[in-house]
Amino acid sequence: MCLLSHGAWQGLGEYHIPAPVADAMADTLAAGQVMDISLAINAPHGGEHIHDPCAGSGGLLRSATQHLRERGHDPADFQWSMVDIDPIAAACCAVNAMAWKLSPRVTVACADTLANPNAVADAMQEARAVFEHRDEVVGKARIIATLRQPEHLMDACPLACSVDPPPF
């Protein structure tokens, strides 16, 4: 985030949450489990979706990940999504998601969530299209490689391997 000037942060409306504040927020959400306070949340369960609509580089998600691990949960059991309007922040979030070993089910979108509340669904659809295209290209490459293999074998065969017609 140091790559952006302070003016660029203000222009994008970016306000980065310090790590201790993010940790305190994650602990506050868990307080209901620890102190028997009735909050509007339940204990996390694998398969649930954890989403940050203005993730920045993922500070709150890092705290949520740490919180889950401290309580014996595997973050890879959850679905994660994060959106940020800043392409650099979204890229940092994607790298951080890999570094934190969140899950193979992570979606990072670069969009304005106020203008496009479906940014995560759009990003997932775009990812599916990319994977389908990749699979199609890989499939065609395998067919081409299979067809070229006999051709390479024939080219490698010396002239002595050629069969002359028998003399009559």
Coordinates of all heavy atoms in Angstrom, one line a residue, residues 52-104:
D52 N -15.7 -9.7 2.6 CA -15.4 -8.4 2.9 C -15.6 -7.5 1.7 O -14.9 -7.7 0.7 CB -14.0 -8.3 3.4 CG -13.6 -6.9 4.0 OD1 -14.4 -5.9 3.8 OD2 -12.6 -6.7 4.6
P53 N -16.6 -6.7 1.7 CA -17.0 -5.9 0.4 C -16.0 -4.7 0.1 O -16.1 -4.2 -0.9 CB -18.4 -5.4 0.7 CG -18.5 -5.3 2.2 CD -17.6 -6.4 2.7
C54 N -15.2 -4.4 1.1 CA -14.1 -3.4 0.8 C -12.9 -3.8 1.6 O -12.5 -3.2 2.6 CB -14.6 -2.0 1.3 SG -15.4 -1.9 2.9
A55 N -12.3 -4.8 1.0 CA -11.2 -5.6 1.7 C -9.9 -4.9 1.8 O -9.1 -5.3 2.7 CB -11.0 -6.9 1.1
G56 N -9.6 -3.9 1.0 CA -8.2 -3.4 1.0 C -7.3 -4.5 0.7 O -7.5 -5.3 -0.2
S57 N -6.2 -4.6 1.5 CA -5.3 -5.7 1.3 C -5.7 -7.0 2.1 O -4.9 -7.9 2.1 CB -3.9 -5.3 1.6 OG -3.8 -4.8 2.9
G58 N -6.8 -6.9 2.9 CA -7.3 -8.0 3.6 C -7.0 -8.1 5.1 O -7.1 -9.1 5.7
G59 N -6.8 -6.9 5.7 CA -6.5 -6.9 7.1 C -7.6 -7.5 8.0 O -7.3 -8.3 8.9
L60 N -8.9 -7.3 7.7 CA -9.9 -7.9 8.5 C -10.0 -9.4 8.3 O -10.3 -10.2 9.2 CB -11.3 -7.2 8.2 CG -11.5 -5.8 8.8 CD1 -12.8 -5.2 8.3 CD2 -11.4 -5.8 10.3
L61 N -9.8 -9.8 7.0 CA -9.8 -11.2 6.7 C -8.6 -11.9 7.4 O -8.7 -13.1 7.8 CB -9.8 -11.4 5.2 CG -11.1 -10.9 4.6 CD1 -11.0 -10.9 3.1 CD2 -12.3 -11.7 5.0
R62 N -7.5 -11.2 7.5 CA -6.3 -11.8 8.2 C -6.7 -12.1 9.6 O -6.4 -13.2 10.2 CB -5.1 -10.9 8.1 CG -3.9 -11.5 8.8 CD -2.9 -10.4 9.3 NE -3.5 -9.4 10.1 CZ -3.8 -9.4 11.4 NH1 -3.6 -10.5 12.1 NH2 -4.3 -8.4 12.0
S63 N -7.3 -11.1 10.2 CA -7.8 -11.3 11.6 C -8.8 -12.4 11.8 O -8.7 -13.2 12.7 CB -8.3 -10.0 12.2 OG -7.3 -9.0 12.3
A64 N -9.7 -12.5 10.8 CA -10.7 -13.6 10.9 C -10.0 -14.9 10.7 O -10.4 -15.9 11.4 CB -11.8 -13.3 9.8
T65 N -9.1 -15.0 9.8 CA -8.3 -16.2 9.6 C -7.6 -16.6 10.9 O -7.7 -17.8 11.3 CB -7.3 -16.1 8.5 OG1 -8.0 -15.7 7.3 CG2 -6.5 -17.3 8.2
Q66 N -6.9 -15.7 11.5 CA -6.2 -16.0 12.7 C -7.2 -16.4 13.8 O -6.9 -17.3 14.6 CB -5.4 -14.7 13.2 CG -4.6 -14.8 14.4 CD -3.9 -13.6 14.7 OE1 -3.6 -12.8 13.8 NE2 -3.6 -13.4 16.0
H67 N -8.3 -15.7 13.9 CA -9.3 -16.1 14.9 C -9.8 -17.5 14.7 O -9.9 -18.2 15.7 CB -10.5 -15.1 14.8 CG -11.6 -15.4 15.6 ND1 -11.7 -15.1 17.0 CD2 -12.8 -16.0 15.3 CE1 -12.8 -15.5 17.5 NE2 -13.5 -16.1 16.5
L68 N -10.1 -17.9 13.5 CA -10.5 -19.2 13.2 C -9.5 -20.3 13.6 O -9.8 -21.3 14.2 CB -10.9 -19.4 11.7 CG -12.1 -18.7 11.2 CD1 -12.2 -18.7 9.7 CD2 -13.4 -19.3 11.9
R69 N -8.3 -20.0 13.2 CA -7.2 -21.0 13.6 C -7.0 -21.1 15.1 O -6.8 -22.2 15.6 CB -5.9 -20.5 12.9 CG -5.9 -20.8 11.4 CD -4.5 -20.7 10.8 NE -4.5 -21.2 9.4 CZ -4.3 -20.3 8.4 NH1 -4.0 -19.1 8.6 NH2 -4.4 -20.8 7.2
E70 N -7.1 -20.0 15.8 CA -6.9 -20.0 17.3 C -8.0 -20.9 17.9 O -7.9 -21.4 19.0 CB -6.9 -18.6 17.8 CG -5.6 -17.9 17.5 CD -5.7 -16.4 17.9 OE1 -6.8 -15.9 18.4 OE2 -4.7 -15.7 17.8
R71 N -9.2 -21.0 17.3 CA -10.3 -21.7 17.8 C -10.5 -23.1 17.2 O -11.5 -23.7 17.3 CB -11.6 -20.9 17.7 CG -11.6 -19.8 18.8 CD -12.1 -18.5 18.4 NE -12.0 -17.5 19.4 CZ -11.0 -16.7 19.6 NH1 -9.9 -16.8 18.8 NH2 -10.9 -15.8 20.5
G72 N -9.4 -23.5 16.5 CA -9.4 -24.9 16.0 C -10.1 -25.1 14.7 O -10.3 -26.3 14.3
H73 N -10.4 -24.1 14.0 CA -11.0 -24.2 12.7 C -10.0 -24.1 11.6 O -8.9 -23.4 11.7 CB -12.1 -23.1 12.4 CG -13.2 -23.2 13.4 ND1 -14.2 -24.1 13.3 CD2 -13.5 -22.4 14.5 CE1 -15.1 -23.9 14.2 NE2 -14.7 -22.9 15.0
D74 N -10.2 -24.7 10.5 CA -9.3 -24.6 9.3 C -9.9 -23.6 8.3 O -11.0 -23.9 7.8 CB -9.2 -26.0 8.6 CG -8.2 -26.0 7.5 OD1 -7.7 -24.9 7.1 OD2 -8.0 -27.1 6.9
P75 N -9.3 -22.5 8.1 CA -9.8 -21.5 7.1 C -10.1 -22.1 5.7 O -11.0 -21.6 5.0 CB -8.7 -20.5 7.0 CG -8.0 -20.6 8.3 CD -8.0 -22.1 8.7
A76 N -9.5 -23.2 5.4 CA -9.7 -23.8 4.1 C -11.1 -24.5 4.0 O -11.6 -24.8 2.9 CB -8.6 -24.8 3.8
D77 N -11.7 -24.6 5.2 CA -13.1 -25.2 5.2 C -14.2 -24.1 4.9 O -15.3 -24.5 4.8 CB -13.4 -25.8 6.6 CG -12.5 -27.0 6.8 OD1 -12.1 -27.6 5.9 OD2 -12.4 -27.4 8.0
F78 N -13.8 -22.9 4.7 CA -14.7 -21.8 4.5 C -14.6 -21.3 3.0 O -13.5 -21.5 2.4 CB -14.5 -20.7 5.5 CG -14.7 -21.1 6.9 CD1 -13.8 -21.8 7.6 CD2 -15.9 -20.7 7.5 CE1 -14.1 -22.2 8.9 CE2 -16.2 -21.1 8.8 CZ -15.3 -21.8 9.5
Q79 N -15.6 -20.6 2.6 CA -15.5 -19.9 1.3 C -15.2 -18.4 1.6 O -15.9 -17.9 2.5 CB -16.9 -20.0 0.6 CG -16.8 -19.3 -0.8 CD -18.1 -19.4 -1.5 OE1 -19.0 -20.2 -1.1 NE2 -18.3 -18.7 -2.6
W80 N -14.3 -17.8 0.9 CA -13.9 -16.5 1.1 C -14.1 -15.6 -0.1 O -13.9 -16.1 -1.2 CB -12.4 -16.4 1.5 CG -12.0 -17.2 2.7 CD1 -11.8 -18.6 2.8 CD2 -11.9 -16.7 4.0 NE1 -11.5 -18.9 4.0 CE2 -11.5 -17.8 4.8 CE3 -11.9 -15.5 4.6 CZ2 -11.3 -17.7 6.2 CZ3 -11.7 -15.3 5.9 CH2 -11.4 -16.4 6.7
S81 N -14.6 -14.4 0.1 CA -14.6 -13.5 -1.0 C -14.3 -12.1 -0.5 O -14.5 -11.7 0.6 CB -16.0 -13.5 -1.7 OG -17.0 -13.1 -0.7
M82 N -13.6 -11.3 -1.4 CA -13.2 -10.0 -1.0 C -13.2 -9.1 -2.2 O -12.9 -9.6 -3.3 CB -11.8 -10.1 -0.4 CG -10.8 -10.9 -1.2 SD -9.5 -11.8 -0.2 CE -10.4 -13.2 0.4
V83 N -13.6 -7.9 -2.0 CA -13.7 -6.9 -3.1 C -13.0 -5.6 -2.7 O -13.1 -5.2 -1.6 CB -15.2 -6.6 -3.4 CG1 -15.3 -5.7 -4.6 CG2 -16.0 -7.9 -3.7
D84 N -12.3 -5.0 -3.7 CA -11.8 -3.7 -3.4 C -11.8 -3.0 -4.8 O -11.6 -3.5 -5.8 CB -10.4 -3.7 -2.8 CG -10.1 -2.4 -2.2 OD1 -10.5 -2.2 -1.0 OD2 -9.5 -1.5 -2.8
I85 N -12.0 -1.7 -4.7 CA -12.0 -0.8 -5.9 C -10.6 -0.6 -6.5 O -10.4 -0.3 -7.6 CB -12.7 0.5 -5.6 CG1 -13.0 1.3 -6.8 CG2 -11.9 1.4 -4.6 CD1 -13.9 2.5 -6.6
D86 N -9.6 -0.7 -5.6 CA -8.2 -0.4 -6.0 C -7.6 -1.7 -6.6 O -7.5 -2.7 -5.8 CB -7.4 0.1 -4.8 CG -6.0 0.4 -5.1 OD1 -5.6 0.5 -6.3 OD2 -5.2 0.5 -4.2
P87 N -7.1 -1.7 -7.8 CA -6.5 -2.9 -8.4 C -5.2 -3.4 -7.6 O -5.0 -4.6 -7.5 CB -6.1 -2.5 -9.8 CG -6.7 -1.2 -10.1 CD -7.1 -0.6 -8.8
I88 N -4.5 -2.4 -7.0 CA -3.3 -2.8 -6.3 C -3.7 -3.5 -5.0 O -3.2 -4.6 -4.6 CB -2.4 -1.6 -6.0 CG1 -1.8 -1.1 -7.3 CG2 -1.3 -2.0 -5.0 CD1 -1.0 0.2 -7.2
A89 N -4.7 -3.0 -4.3 CA -5.2 -3.6 -3.1 C -5.8 -5.0 -3.3 O -5.6 -5.9 -2.6 CB -6.2 -2.7 -2.4
A90 N -6.6 -5.1 -4.4 CA -7.1 -6.4 -4.8 C -6.0 -7.4 -5.1 O -6.2 -8.6 -4.6 CB -8.1 -6.2 -6.0
A91 N -5.0 -7.0 -5.8 CA -3.9 -7.9 -6.0 C -3.2 -8.3 -4.7 O -2.8 -9.5 -4.5 CB -2.9 -7.2 -7.0
C92 N -3.0 -7.3 -3.8 CA -2.4 -7.7 -2.5 C -3.3 -8.6 -1.8 O -2.8 -9.6 -1.1 CB -2.2 -6.4 -1.7 SG -0.9 -5.3 -2.3
C93 N -4.6 -8.4 -1.8 CA -5.5 -9.3 -1.2 C -5.4 -10.8 -1.7 O -5.4 -11.7 -1.0 CB -6.9 -8.8 -1.3 SG -8.0 -9.2 0.0
A94 N -5.3 -10.9 -3.0 CA -5.1 -12.2 -3.7 C -3.9 -12.9 -3.2 O -3.9 -14.1 -2.9 CB -5.2 -12.1 -5.2
V95 N -2.8 -12.1 -3.2 CA -1.5 -12.7 -2.7 C -1.6 -13.1 -1.2 O -1.2 -14.2 -0.8 CB -0.3 -11.7 -2.9 CG1 0.9 -12.1 -2.2 CG2 -0.1 -11.5 -4.4
N96 N -2.2 -12.2 -0.4 CA -2.4 -12.5 1.0 C -3.2 -13.8 1.2 O -3.0 -14.6 2.1 CB -3.0 -11.3 1.8 CG -1.9 -10.2 1.9 OD1 -0.7 -10.5 1.9 ND2 -2.4 -9.0 2.1
A97 N -4.3 -13.9 0.4 CA -5.2 -15.1 0.5 C -4.3 -16.4 0.3 O -4.6 -17.4 1.0 CB -6.3 -15.0 -0.5
M98 N -3.4 -16.3 -0.6 CA -2.5 -17.5 -0.8 C -1.6 -17.7 0.3 O -1.3 -18.8 0.8 CB -1.8 -17.4 -2.2 CG -2.7 -17.5 -3.4 SD -1.7 -17.5 -4.9 CE -1.6 -15.8 -5.2
A99 N -1.0 -16.6 0.8 CA 0.0 -16.7 1.9 C -0.7 -17.2 3.2 O -0.1 -17.9 3.9 CB 0.6 -15.3 2.1
W100 N -1.9 -16.8 3.4 CA -2.6 -17.2 4.6 C -3.3 -18.6 4.4 O -3.9 -19.1 5.3 CB -3.7 -16.2 4.9 CG -3.2 -14.8 5.2 CD1 -2.0 -14.5 5.7 CD2 -3.9 -13.6 5.0 NE1 -1.9 -13.1 5.8 CE2 -3.0 -12.6 5.3 CE3 -5.1 -13.3 4.4 CZ2 -3.4 -11.2 5.2 CZ3 -5.5 -12.0 4.3 CH2 -4.6 -10.9 4.7
K101 N -3.1 -19.2 3.2 CA -3.7 -20.5 2.9 C -5.2 -20.6 3.3 O -5.6 -21.5 4.0 CB -2.9 -21.6 3.7 CG -1.4 -21.6 3.3 CD -0.7 -22.7 4.0 CE 0.8 -22.6 3.6 NZ 1.7 -23.3 4.4
L102 N -5.9 -19.6 2.8 CA -7.3 -19.5 3.1 C -8.1 -20.8 2.6 O -8.7 -21.4 3.3 CB -7.9 -18.3 2.5 CG -7.5 -17.0 3.2 CD1 -8.3 -15.8 2.6 CD2 -7.7 -17.0 4.7
S103 N -8.0 -21.0 1.3 CA -8.8 -22.1 0.7 C -8.7 -22.0 -0.8 O -8.3 -21.0 -1.4 CB -10.3 -21.8 1.1 OG -11.2 -22.5 0.3
P104 N -9.0 -23.1 -1.5 CA -9.1 -23.0 -2.9 C -10.3 -22.3 -3.3 O -10.5 -22.0 -4.5 CB -9.1 -24.5 -3.4 CG -9.5 -25.3 -2.2 CD -9.1 -24.5 -1.0

